Amino acid sequence: MGLALDPEWRLKPNQVHLTQIGSVAPAEVNQVSTWLADIVASQNLPQKALVLHQFDADMLGDRSKIDTRRPELSFVIHADGHGVPSVKMETYRRIVAGIPPRTWLGWKNFYTEDKPMFSPRKTMAVDPVPYFISYQ
């Protein structure tokens, strides 16, 4: 098991879901990762995944400020974009650029929002190849 943070849904007062895109600051990601890593260490648990969903640059702020050094965690930036293949690839290229060190890449295929949805073969041909793939 692991933990996923989806900044899209973290809105400010008076913002509206599906109209505005939420965000989580790197400082809060670091608070969560410290909390989770401390649990893993104190309970002598296996490494846990910390999955950070992202499709827009502002969702996680300045990712260089995200501390990915805790060995108790495996950090995953999960490219959460949808649409036609060219749009998905452009989103992925933006997400991949400047990814923090010690971070794995994730990719999401949407059954109904992708037109057409990437096949497993096409997904594995994405460069760089994602480590974590999900379907929604």
Side-chain angles (χ1 to χ4, degrees):
M1 279 197 170
L3 178 67
L5 299 179
D6 196 346
E8 173 182 3
W9 303 104
R10 178 66 165 302
L11 298 177
K12 296 175 183 163
N14 302 316
Q15 287 187 320
V16 179
H17 289 289
L18 302 176
T19 301
Q20 283 96 17
I21 300 169
S23 64
V24 175
E28 188 170 356
V29 172
N30 292 339
Q31 287 176 327
V32 170
S33 67
T34 297
W35 169 80
L36 183 58
D38 288 348
I39 291 172
V40 171
S42 69
Q43 300 298 312
N44 197 29
L45 299 172
Q47 186 183 59
K48 302 299 176 197
L50 179 58
V51 180
L52 306 171
H53 297 270
Q54 185 176 23
F55 60 84
D56 184 75
D58 294 335
M59 291 174 69
L60 293 170
D62 181 355
R63 294 184 312 186
S64 71
K65 295 181 179 178
I66 296 175
D67 184 358
T68 59
R69 294 176 294 173
R70 293 295 297 258
E72 299 88 354
L73 303 180
S74 183
F75 291 82
V76 178
I77 300 287
H78 189 222
D80 197 13
H82 60 80
V84 298
S86 61
V87 171
K88 283 186 74 82
M89 287 307 305
E90 182 56 35
T91 298
Y92 193 64
R93 281 190 276 279
R94 282 194 325 268
I95 299 303
V96 168
I99 196 164
R102 291 193 66 246
T103 302
W104 299 93
L105 293 169
W107 175 277
K108 183 183 282 187
N109 283 319
F110 288 88
Y111 290 110
T112 57
E113 288 89 357
D114 289 343
K115 308 288 184 206
M117 185 180 79
F118 277 46
S119 68
R121 182 177 303 235
K122 188 165 183 177
T123 301
M124 294 308 295
V126 169
D127 184 29
V129 176
Y131 176 79
F132 174 84
I133 300 165
S134 66
Y135 288 78
Q136 178 177 327

